[in-house]
Amino acid sequence: MSRTSMVVGIDVGSEQKGFHAVALQGGTFVNKTITTDAGEIVAWCLDQRAAVVAVDAPCGWSQSGSSRQAERELALLGKINCFSTPTREHALHRDFYTWVFNGENLYRSLIVQYPLFDGQRTEEQICIETFPHAVVCAMAGRVVSAKSKAKVRREALKNRGQDVSSLPNIDFVDAALCAVAADEFRKGNYQRYGDLSEGFIVVPGPGVA
């Protein structure tokens, strides 16, 4: 991995809501930003000298059904239910998936500077897909309730000894959890679900808390 220990987590919303990003270094959330422009968020990641960028949005579409291999594995092996990504054709013209298409746009911009994780670790800059609820479960060492997520996720970060006072809303909290996943990946402490054709979901490995 790049010599820098800086990592970034990004929460993806619709085109109107945009991207919330948090930079993490040495266990401290050192910077954050929000923008609706994918190019701006990539430039910001470069300005932070981020080694790993973790994104809370699907990095690929199902090739043949209503979900991806990564999502099915996470539910079966990790006992964690998550968003199911259909085929791209199914998602077209359906308003619910506008944020997924916005994520697709972000990945398109990101991979020029941060190639997408293909299942193999590298010493170069890289981006990964992650999932905040799965990150919280990894930190807790068990499956936790997805209810009251704002409170639960803040407490998970606090229990890890991190200051959350700079995170004003759930979008920045989720971005911070993505940054935690990026940092653990940087250290080599991670689990992956999925395959190359539909994309990998990466979450922290055992002992993250």
Side-chain angles (χ1 to χ4, degrees):
M1 211 60 65
S2 171
R3 289 183 180 181
T4 176
S5 61
M6 185 76 76
V7 297
V8 165
I10 303 175
D11 177 73
V12 176
S14 65
E15 287 186 4
Q16 293 74 29
K17 188 175 183 180
F19 311 105
H20 292 71
V22 172
L24 172 67
Q25 185 173 43
T28 300
F29 300 123
V30 295
N31 208 350
K32 66 179 185 295
T33 191
I34 178 173
T35 179
T36 58
D37 187 283
E40 286 184 3
I41 208 76
V42 175
W44 185 82
C45 291
L46 291 170
D47 285 344
Q48 306 305 306
R49 299 183 65 248
V52 182
V53 178
V55 180
D56 177 19
C59 65
W61 299 92
S62 171
Q63 297 299 301
S64 60
S66 59
S67 64
R68 296 180 297 155
Q69 179 69 24
E71 294 150 358
R72 295 191 296 273
E73 286 182 8
L74 194 57
L76 179 65
L77 302 176
K79 309 301 182 185
I80 299 170
N81 292 320
C82 65
F83 171 80
S84 294
T85 308
T87 63
R88 194 176 193 278
E89 292 71 20
H90 177 84
L92 286 170
H93 311 302
R94 290 173 169 83
D95 289 343
F96 176 80
Y97 297 103
T98 56
W99 70 277
V100 184
F101 284 102
N102 201 30
E104 181 182 55
N105 183 43
L106 174 62
Y107 281 113
R108 189 179 298 117
S109 296
L110 261 178
I111 61 175
V112 176
Q113 300 290 342
Y114 294 91
L116 182 64
F117 176 59
D118 64 0
Q120 302 296 321
R121 289 186 72 238
T122 173
E123 296 300 316
E124 305 302 320
Q125 293 178 166
I126 194 170
C127 71
I128 61 174
E129 175 190 346
T130 193
F131 178 43
H133 179 58
V135 176
V136 169
C137 292
M139 290 164 65
R142 59 183 175 82
V143 177
V144 300
S145 174
K147 297 179 180 179
S148 304
K149 65 179 183 180
K151 179 180 179 181
V152 169
R153 293 176 185 183
R154 282 185 181 278
E155 288 300 318
L157 290 169
K158 287 180 181 178
N159 291 340
R160 198 169 184 259
Q162 289 170 308
D163 182 1
V164 298
S165 62
S166 64
L167 309 174
N169 56 45
I170 185 61
D171 301 307
F172 278 120
V173 169
D174 282 354
L177 287 165
C178 290
V180 169
D183 198 40
E184 293 302 317
F185 178 85
R186 181 185 65 83
K187 298 172 183 176
N189 181 35
Y190 68 95
Q191 306 168 72
R192 70 177 199 188
Y193 299 88
D195 58 28
L196 190 58
S197 65
E198 295 179 329
F200 293 95
I201 296 175
V202 178
V203 300
V208 63

